[in-house]
Amino acid sequence: MTNTLIENNFRTNRLPHIWCSGCGHGIIMRAITKAVDELGYNKDDVCVVSGIGCSSRAPGYMDFNTFHTLHGRALAYATGVKMAKPELKVIVVTGDGDCAAIGGNHLIHSARRNIDITTIVFNNNIYGMTGGQYSPTTPTGDKGTTAPFGNIDKNFDLCKLVQGAGATYVARSTAYHVNMITQQVKTGLENKGFSFIEAVSICPTYYGRKNKKGDAVSMMNYLKTNAVNVKAADKLPKEKIQGKFLIGEFYKSQEPEYTEEYQKIIDSFQKER
Amino acid sequence: MKNKKIKLMQGNEACVEGALAAGMKFFAGYPITPSTEIAEISSLRLPRIGGKFIQMEDEIAGMAAVIGGSLAGLKSMTATSGPGFSLKQENLGYAVLAEVPCVVVNVQRGGPSTGLPTMPAQGDIMQAKWGTHGDHPVIALSPSSVRETFDLTVKAFNYAEKYRMPVILLTDEVIGHMREKIEIPDPDEIEIIDRLKPEKGLDEYKPYEIKEGQVAPEMAAYGEGYRFHVTGLIHDETGFPSNDSKVAGDLVNRLMKKIDDNIDDLTLYEEYKLDDADIAVISYGITARSAKSAVDMARAEGLKVGLFRPMIIWPFPEKQIAQLGKRVKNIITAEMNLGQYVLEVERVANKYTNITKCGKANGELITPDEILAKIKEVQ
């Protein structure tokens, strides 16, 4: 049986991908592509921009306008693309190190502008491409190759960060909750503004091994049993959500979108003539 | 008679006028002295012609957005000064490797570090050439007047489009802020070059394929129907990454050949009173104006001195400097740094003639008297 989603939306001659066996990134990449496919967008109108890291290799496999930029800078490059051609559907694919450490400034300012870019962070809690160093989302106490005695940094809650900075759609799902990723990316793409979806991934090769999390199946089971939907969380007693994490839609609002506001300035001069 | 557009204008303003004349439709940048007027005037002018301006969150983002804007089809520019130029270097290298046309203006100020924000310098000459990592081609221009800032900004865009690479315009605090009378040429007097674009409806578009007779690959924009891939990794002609050493070697060599094979197109200089000269002063940018005065003062005293003034400083005008070295007994290189361009002059002309440097890095212009003193010293 041929898989039409893959046939129609991937550069099949570039496959198989480079990710390790058990990595959650392929699942997330497919879920994003499924969202674009289900929305029926013309592939020529979709531009996928990434930075550097494991996640950022995804655009190379996806059959859209694709742009593999520098470490941390995907959102800044994407802002240039979106400003120049607001009619493009711009998607940024990034990782926890890429968007929360070296690219943190671009992340908060893209959110603040509410520019119409849908950002999906593949959060595997580690720098995978460079071999397992701790990242801004590595939980406090966990290990990485540069945190051999346990991470003493506090880890970021990226959704709270980005919501605080002004994003108009903020959601989280996991590589286990794959249909939820697709649904959230669809909502994000249809939101006229800055949309942020944290897709919690798994890295059995580095994060899992360093922290004795077991194999890929055990790590997937962890996502399944520890993710609590935000809709259910309110009704649950505190002890039931202790040590777990929330998924679902955290925030949605309508605010003026950056490129539309700029277009109004341009239009005001057209009227003047 | 045509109504001539004569204006009193600052160098930074002339830079924006030149950029608009060349077709700039997108500016992304970050405020920094002494380049800020370029951003301010761009923000005022661009929306009136349907163009776009954005003030990014930092210098790095300004450069990144410009590359994104260019790949989406708009002629794009950013402007900065010393510290910001340092921050832009990684992205500058991306534009070289991914072959993305754009213009980067560096209104030089005293350094290192925060240095002398409101004072001029020519201390970023070698940084312009070697600031980003790896072997790479560089085109950098340096104007000596407000009018020339206009002309060379147009040229910077043209070279960027023709060779598909970033082009650096190196001015300085004095050129940027000084006001001079300039006559803006009519649009039909200005040569404009646009990037080569692939034909529409091709079965296959290879974004890095060089066809017979082309100096740079044809460049589609995002959203035009060719779903191509762009990366800062070494790539083959399809645009996809490769670890093959032959692909890597061929690509880097091809990038360098854009300059090497077109060196005559990328050589631009002025010779002043050099015909019978025994002493040549080599100088560029604002310092060349002091040098020209010094030449006149020396001539008035009967000394045979002339000026060689490169307007394109990178690529280095090797052939011309070597010939100059053979013609004169002494070369004085005058520049507002402690000896940068002179290193290249020495590399090329040391075997033919005596080379003396005349430089300082204290935020003050080099005066004609200082250059004249050097002329008398070597004479």
Side-chain angles (χ1 to χ4, degrees), chain A residues 20-24 202-205 208 213-223:
Chain A
C20 306
S21 58
C23 174
I202 57 167
C203 175
T205 302
K213 300 285 183 188
D215 61 7
V217 176
S218 318
M219 291 182 80
M220 275 294 200
N221 260 322
Y222 177 86
L223 296 181

mmCIF file with all atom_site columns, all heavy atoms in Angstrom, chain A residues 20-24 202-205 208 213-223:
data_model
loop_
_atom_site.group_PDB
_atom_site.id
_atom_site.type_symbol
_atom_site.label_atom_id
_atom_site.label_alt_id
_atom_site.label_comp_id
_atom_site.label_asym_id
_atom_site.label_entity_id
_atom_site.label_seq_id
_atom_site.pdbx_PDB_ins_code
_atom_site.Cartn_x
_atom_site.Cartn_y
_atom_site.Cartn_z
_atom_site.occupancy
_atom_site.B_iso_or_equiv
_atom_site.pdbx_formal_charge
_atom_site.auth_seq_id
_atom_site.auth_comp_id
_atom_site.auth_asym_id
_atom_site.auth_atom_id
_atom_site.pdbx_PDB_model_num
ATOM 1   N N   . CYS A 1 20  ? 18.076 8.943  14.814 1.00 0.00 ? 20  CYS A N   1
ATOM 2   C CA  . CYS A 1 20  ? 18.364 7.646  15.441 1.00 0.00 ? 20  CYS A CA  1
ATOM 3   C C   . CYS A 1 20  ? 17.085 6.806  15.520 1.00 0.00 ? 20  CYS A C   1
ATOM 4   O O   . CYS A 1 20  ? 15.978 7.349  15.566 1.00 0.00 ? 20  CYS A O   1
ATOM 5   C CB  . CYS A 1 20  ? 18.855 7.824  16.878 1.00 0.00 ? 20  CYS A CB  1
ATOM 6   S SG  . CYS A 1 20  ? 20.262 8.908  17.096 1.00 0.00 ? 20  CYS A SG  1
ATOM 7   N N   . SER A 1 21  ? 17.248 5.497  15.621 1.00 0.00 ? 21  SER A N   1
ATOM 8   C CA  . SER A 1 21  ? 16.063 4.659  15.826 1.00 0.00 ? 21  SER A CA  1
ATOM 9   C C   . SER A 1 21  ? 15.483 4.991  17.199 1.00 0.00 ? 21  SER A C   1
ATOM 10  O O   . SER A 1 21  ? 16.226 5.239  18.149 1.00 0.00 ? 21  SER A O   1
ATOM 11  C CB  . SER A 1 21  ? 16.431 3.180  15.725 1.00 0.00 ? 21  SER A CB  1
ATOM 12  O OG  . SER A 1 21  ? 17.423 2.881  16.668 1.00 0.00 ? 21  SER A OG  1
ATOM 13  N N   . GLY A 1 22  ? 14.184 5.078  17.260 1.00 0.00 ? 22  GLY A N   1
ATOM 14  C CA  . GLY A 1 22  ? 13.520 5.404  18.520 1.00 0.00 ? 22  GLY A CA  1
ATOM 15  C C   . GLY A 1 22  ? 13.303 6.885  18.748 1.00 0.00 ? 22  GLY A C   1
ATOM 16  O O   . GLY A 1 22  ? 12.598 7.282  19.668 1.00 0.00 ? 22  GLY A O   1
ATOM 17  N N   . CYS A 1 23  ? 13.883 7.724  17.911 1.00 0.00 ? 23  CYS A N   1
ATOM 18  C CA  . CYS A 1 23  ? 13.721 9.180  18.042 1.00 0.00 ? 23  CYS A CA  1
ATOM 19  C C   . CYS A 1 23  ? 12.269 9.575  17.769 1.00 0.00 ? 23  CYS A C   1
ATOM 20  O O   . CYS A 1 23  ? 11.608 8.996  16.904 1.00 0.00 ? 23  CYS A O   1
ATOM 21  C CB  . CYS A 1 23  ? 14.637 9.879  17.039 1.00 0.00 ? 23  CYS A CB  1
ATOM 22  S SG  . CYS A 1 23  ? 14.431 11.679 16.972 1.00 0.00 ? 23  CYS A SG  1
ATOM 23  N N   . GLY A 1 24  ? 11.768 10.569 18.488 1.00 0.00 ? 24  GLY A N   1
ATOM 24  C CA  . GLY A 1 24  ? 10.378 10.987 18.282 1.00 0.00 ? 24  GLY A CA  1
ATOM 25  C C   . GLY A 1 24  ? 10.195 11.989 17.157 1.00 0.00 ? 24  GLY A C   1
ATOM 26  O O   . GLY A 1 24  ? 9.053  12.322 16.788 1.00 0.00 ? 24  GLY A O   1
ATOM 27  N N   . ILE A 1 202 ? 11.113 12.444 22.177 1.00 0.00 ? 202 ILE A N   1
ATOM 28  C CA  . ILE A 1 202 ? 11.962 11.576 23.002 1.00 0.00 ? 202 ILE A CA  1
ATOM 29  C C   . ILE A 1 202 ? 13.307 11.381 22.321 1.00 0.00 ? 202 ILE A C   1
ATOM 30  O O   . ILE A 1 202 ? 13.400 11.324 21.095 1.00 0.00 ? 202 ILE A O   1
ATOM 31  C CB  . ILE A 1 202 ? 11.302 10.201 23.284 1.00 0.00 ? 202 ILE A CB  1
ATOM 32  C CG1 . ILE A 1 202 ? 10.939 9.473  21.975 1.00 0.00 ? 202 ILE A CG1 1
ATOM 33  C CG2 . ILE A 1 202 ? 10.086 10.358 24.187 1.00 0.00 ? 202 ILE A CG2 1
ATOM 34  C CD1 . ILE A 1 202 ? 10.571 8.004  22.190 1.00 0.00 ? 202 ILE A CD1 1
ATOM 35  N N   . CYS A 1 203 ? 14.361 11.301 23.144 1.00 0.00 ? 203 CYS A N   1
ATOM 36  C CA  . CYS A 1 203 ? 15.708 11.055 22.645 1.00 0.00 ? 203 CYS A CA  1
ATOM 37  C C   . CYS A 1 203 ? 16.297 9.905  23.444 1.00 0.00 ? 203 CYS A C   1
ATOM 38  O O   . CYS A 1 203 ? 16.985 10.111 24.439 1.00 0.00 ? 203 CYS A O   1
ATOM 39  C CB  . CYS A 1 203 ? 16.571 12.315 22.809 1.00 0.00 ? 203 CYS A CB  1
ATOM 40  S SG  . CYS A 1 203 ? 18.304 12.055 22.350 1.00 0.00 ? 203 CYS A SG  1
ATOM 41  N N   . PRO A 1 204 ? 15.976 8.670  23.030 1.00 0.00 ? 204 PRO A N   1
ATOM 42  C CA  . PRO A 1 204 ? 16.509 7.532  23.781 1.00 0.00 ? 204 PRO A CA  1
ATOM 43  C C   . PRO A 1 204 ? 18.040 7.472  23.727 1.00 0.00 ? 204 PRO A C   1
ATOM 44  O O   . PRO A 1 204 ? 18.677 7.008  24.670 1.00 0.00 ? 204 PRO A O   1
ATOM 45  C CB  . PRO A 1 204 ? 15.902 6.315  23.077 1.00 0.00 ? 204 PRO A CB  1
ATOM 46  C CG  . PRO A 1 204 ? 14.849 6.835  22.153 1.00 0.00 ? 204 PRO A CG  1
ATOM 47  C CD  . PRO A 1 204 ? 15.157 8.269  21.882 1.00 0.00 ? 204 PRO A CD  1
ATOM 48  N N   . THR A 1 205 ? 18.614 7.969  22.623 1.00 0.00 ? 205 THR A N   1
ATOM 49  C CA  . THR A 1 205 ? 20.064 7.842  22.426 1.00 0.00 ? 205 THR A CA  1
ATOM 50  C C   . THR A 1 205 ? 20.857 8.638  23.464 1.00 0.00 ? 205 THR A C   1
ATOM 51  O O   . THR A 1 205 ? 21.839 8.140  24.011 1.00 0.00 ? 205 THR A O   1
ATOM 52  C CB  . THR A 1 205 ? 20.441 8.323  21.011 1.00 0.00 ? 205 THR A CB  1
ATOM 53  O OG1 . THR A 1 205 ? 19.712 7.543  20.069 1.00 0.00 ? 205 THR A OG1 1
ATOM 54  C CG2 . THR A 1 205 ? 21.928 8.172  20.744 1.00 0.00 ? 205 THR A CG2 1
ATOM 55  N N   . GLY A 1 208 ? 17.669 9.828  27.130 1.00 0.00 ? 208 GLY A N   1
ATOM 56  C CA  . GLY A 1 208 ? 17.176 8.599  27.748 1.00 0.00 ? 208 GLY A CA  1
ATOM 57  C C   . GLY A 1 208 ? 18.305 7.796  28.376 1.00 0.00 ? 208 GLY A C   1
ATOM 58  O O   . GLY A 1 208 ? 18.225 7.352  29.522 1.00 0.00 ? 208 GLY A O   1
ATOM 59  N N   . LYS A 1 213 ? 16.230 6.306  31.332 1.00 0.00 ? 213 LYS A N   1
ATOM 60  C CA  . LYS A 1 213 ? 14.793 6.368  31.067 1.00 0.00 ? 213 LYS A CA  1
ATOM 61  C C   . LYS A 1 213 ? 14.301 5.155  30.286 1.00 0.00 ? 213 LYS A C   1
ATOM 62  O O   . LYS A 1 213 ? 13.145 5.106  29.861 1.00 0.00 ? 213 LYS A O   1
ATOM 63  C CB  . LYS A 1 213 ? 14.440 7.643  30.285 1.00 0.00 ? 213 LYS A CB  1
ATOM 64  C CG  . LYS A 1 213 ? 14.797 8.939  31.010 1.00 0.00 ? 213 LYS A CG  1
ATOM 65  C CD  . LYS A 1 213 ? 13.835 9.250  32.136 1.00 0.00 ? 213 LYS A CD  1
ATOM 66  C CE  . LYS A 1 213 ? 14.180 10.587 32.775 1.00 0.00 ? 213 LYS A CE  1
ATOM 67  N NZ  . LYS A 1 213 ? 13.418 10.858 33.985 1.00 0.00 ? 213 LYS A NZ  1
ATOM 68  N N   . GLY A 1 214 ? 15.199 4.234  30.028 1.00 0.00 ? 214 GLY A N   1
ATOM 69  C CA  . GLY A 1 214 ? 14.784 3.041  29.301 1.00 0.00 ? 214 GLY A CA  1
ATOM 70  C C   . GLY A 1 214 ? 14.798 3.245  27.796 1.00 0.00 ? 214 GLY A C   1
ATOM 71  O O   . GLY A 1 214 ? 15.315 4.249  27.296 1.00 0.00 ? 214 GLY A O   1
ATOM 72  N N   . ASP A 1 215 ? 14.223 2.298  27.094 1.00 0.00 ? 215 ASP A N   1
ATOM 73  C CA  . ASP A 1 215 ? 14.258 2.369  25.632 1.00 0.00 ? 215 ASP A CA  1
ATOM 74  C C   . ASP A 1 215 ? 13.142 3.288  25.112 1.00 0.00 ? 215 ASP A C   1
ATOM 75  O O   . ASP A 1 215 ? 12.405 3.895  25.890 1.00 0.00 ? 215 ASP A O   1
ATOM 76  C CB  . ASP A 1 215 ? 14.155 0.960  25.026 1.00 0.00 ? 215 ASP A CB  1
ATOM 77  C CG  . ASP A 1 215 ? 12.859 0.254  25.399 1.00 0.00 ? 215 ASP A CG  1
ATOM 78  O OD1 . ASP A 1 215 ? 11.975 0.900  26.023 1.00 0.00 ? 215 ASP A OD1 1
ATOM 79  O OD2 . ASP A 1 215 ? 12.724 -0.932 25.069 1.00 0.00 ? 215 ASP A OD2 1
ATOM 80  N N   . ALA A 1 216 ? 13.026 3.341  23.791 1.00 0.00 ? 216 ALA A N   1
ATOM 81  C CA  . ALA A 1 216 ? 12.054 4.246  23.174 1.00 0.00 ? 216 ALA A CA  1
ATOM 82  C C   . ALA A 1 216 ? 10.633 3.927  23.635 1.00 0.00 ? 216 ALA A C   1
ATOM 83  O O   . ALA A 1 216 ? 9.833  4.833  23.877 1.00 0.00 ? 216 ALA A O   1
ATOM 84  C CB  . ALA A 1 216 ? 12.161 4.165  21.653 1.00 0.00 ? 216 ALA A CB  1
ATOM 85  N N   . VAL A 1 217 ? 10.338 2.646  23.768 1.00 0.00 ? 217 VAL A N   1
ATOM 86  C CA  . VAL A 1 217 ? 8.977  2.259  24.172 1.00 0.00 ? 217 VAL A CA  1
ATOM 87  C C   . VAL A 1 217 ? 8.685  2.754  25.595 1.00 0.00 ? 217 VAL A C   1
ATOM 88  O O   . VAL A 1 217 ? 7.627  3.324  25.875 1.00 0.00 ? 217 VAL A O   1
ATOM 89  C CB  . VAL A 1 217 ? 8.789  0.723  24.065 1.00 0.00 ? 217 VAL A CB  1
ATOM 90  C CG1 . VAL A 1 217 ? 7.417  0.313  24.587 1.00 0.00 ? 217 VAL A CG1 1
ATOM 91  C CG2 . VAL A 1 217 ? 8.967  0.263  22.614 1.00 0.00 ? 217 VAL A CG2 1
ATOM 92  N N   . SER A 1 218 ? 9.667  2.589  26.481 1.00 0.00 ? 218 SER A N   1
ATOM 93  C CA  . SER A 1 218 ? 9.470  3.078  27.861 1.00 0.00 ? 218 SER A CA  1
ATOM 94  C C   . SER A 1 218 ? 9.291  4.590  27.869 1.00 0.00 ? 218 SER A C   1
ATOM 95  O O   . SER A 1 218 ? 8.478  5.128  28.629 1.00 0.00 ? 218 SER A O   1
ATOM 96  C CB  . SER A 1 218 ? 10.683 2.758  28.735 1.00 0.00 ? 218 SER A CB  1
ATOM 97  O OG  . SER A 1 218 ? 11.147 1.488  28.494 1.00 0.00 ? 218 SER A OG  1
ATOM 98  N N   . MET A 1 219 ? 10.050 5.268  27.020 1.00 0.00 ? 219 MET A N   1
ATOM 99  C CA  . MET A 1 219 ? 9.957  6.732  26.998 1.00 0.00 ? 219 MET A CA  1
ATOM 100 C C   . MET A 1 219 ? 8.610  7.184  26.441 1.00 0.00 ? 219 MET A C   1
ATOM 101 O O   . MET A 1 219 ? 8.031  8.166  26.893 1.00 0.00 ? 219 MET A O   1
ATOM 102 C CB  . MET A 1 219 ? 11.130 7.340  26.213 1.00 0.00 ? 219 MET A CB  1
ATOM 103 C CG  . MET A 1 219 ? 12.461 7.159  26.946 1.00 0.00 ? 219 MET A CG  1
ATOM 104 S SD  . MET A 1 219 ? 13.863 7.914  26.098 1.00 0.00 ? 219 MET A SD  1
ATOM 105 C CE  . MET A 1 219 ? 13.671 9.625  26.585 1.00 0.00 ? 219 MET A CE  1
ATOM 106 N N   . MET A 1 220 ? 8.112  6.447  25.441 1.00 0.00 ? 220 MET A N   1
ATOM 107 C CA  . MET A 1 220 ? 6.779  6.744  24.904 1.00 0.00 ? 220 MET A CA  1
ATOM 108 C C   . MET A 1 220 ? 5.720  6.495  25.978 1.00 0.00 ? 220 MET A C   1
ATOM 109 O O   . MET A 1 220 ? 4.785  7.279  26.139 1.00 0.00 ? 220 MET A O   1
ATOM 110 C CB  . MET A 1 220 ? 6.482  5.855  23.692 1.00 0.00 ? 220 MET A CB  1
ATOM 111 C CG  . MET A 1 220 ? 7.030  6.401  22.404 1.00 0.00 ? 220 MET A CG  1
ATOM 112 S SD  . MET A 1 220 ? 6.195  7.954  21.968 1.00 0.00 ? 220 MET A SD  1
ATOM 113 C CE  . MET A 1 220 ? 6.568  8.023  20.249 1.00 0.00 ? 220 MET A CE  1
ATOM 114 N N   . ASN A 1 221 ? 5.897  5.421  26.724 1.00 0.00 ? 221 ASN A N   1
ATOM 115 C CA  . ASN A 1 221 ? 4.972  5.123  27.820 1.00 0.00 ? 221 ASN A CA  1
ATOM 116 C C   . ASN A 1 221 ? 4.975  6.228  28.869 1.00 0.00 ? 221 ASN A C   1
ATOM 117 O O   . ASN A 1 221 ? 3.938  6.553  29.438 1.00 0.00 ? 221 ASN A O   1
ATOM 118 C CB  . ASN A 1 221 ? 5.355  3.788  28.483 1.00 0.00 ? 221 ASN A CB  1
ATOM 119 C CG  . ASN A 1 221 ? 4.464  2.670  27.980 1.00 0.00 ? 221 ASN A CG  1
ATOM 120 O OD1 . ASN A 1 221 ? 3.260  2.878  27.768 1.00 0.00 ? 221 ASN A OD1 1
ATOM 121 N ND2 . ASN A 1 221 ? 5.050  1.499  27.768 1.00 0.00 ? 221 ASN A ND2 1
ATOM 122 N N   . TYR A 1 222 ? 6.159  6.789  29.081 1.00 0.00 ? 222 TYR A N   1
ATOM 123 C CA  . TYR A 1 222 ? 6.263  7.905  30.036 1.00 0.00 ? 222 TYR A CA  1
ATOM 124 C C   . TYR A 1 222 ? 5.400  9.076  29.557 1.00 0.00 ? 222 TYR A C   1
ATOM 125 O O   . TYR A 1 222 ? 4.654  9.673  30.340 1.00 0.00 ? 222 TYR A O   1
ATOM 126 C CB  . TYR A 1 222 ? 7.729  8.329  30.184 1.00 0.00 ? 222 TYR A CB  1
ATOM 127 C CG  . TYR A 1 222 ? 7.890  9.527  31.088 1.00 0.00 ? 222 TYR A CG  1
ATOM 128 C CD1 . TYR A 1 222 ? 8.003  9.385  32.469 1.00 0.00 ? 222 TYR A CD1 1
ATOM 129 C CD2 . TYR A 1 222 ? 7.913  10.828 30.560 1.00 0.00 ? 222 TYR A CD2 1
ATOM 130 C CE1 . TYR A 1 222 ? 8.118  10.487 33.307 1.00 0.00 ? 222 TYR A CE1 1
ATOM 131 C CE2 . TYR A 1 222 ? 8.024  11.944 31.379 1.00 0.00 ? 222 TYR A CE2 1
ATOM 132 C CZ  . TYR A 1 222 ? 8.129  11.765 32.753 1.00 0.00 ? 222 TYR A CZ  1
ATOM 133 O OH  . TYR A 1 222 ? 8.230  12.860 33.574 1.00 0.00 ? 222 TYR A OH  1
ATOM 134 N N   . LEU A 1 223 ? 5.506  9.394  28.247 1.00 0.00 ? 223 LEU A N   1
ATOM 135 C CA  . LEU A 1 223 ? 4.706  10.500 27.697 1.00 0.00 ? 223 LEU A CA  1
ATOM 136 C C   . LEU A 1 223 ? 3.216  10.194 27.863 1.00 0.00 ? 223 LEU A C   1
ATOM 137 O O   . LEU A 1 223 ? 2.424  11.058 28.243 1.00 0.00 ? 223 LEU A O   1
ATOM 138 C CB  . LEU A 1 223 ? 5.028  10.722 26.217 1.00 0.00 ? 223 LEU A CB  1
ATOM 139 C CG  . LEU A 1 223 ? 6.454  11.163 25.854 1.00 0.00 ? 223 LEU A CG  1
ATOM 140 C CD1 . LEU A 1 223 ? 6.581  11.350 24.340 1.00 0.00 ? 223 LEU A CD1 1
ATOM 141 C CD2 . LEU A 1 223 ? 6.842  12.456 26.576 1.00 0.00 ? 223 LEU A CD2 1
#
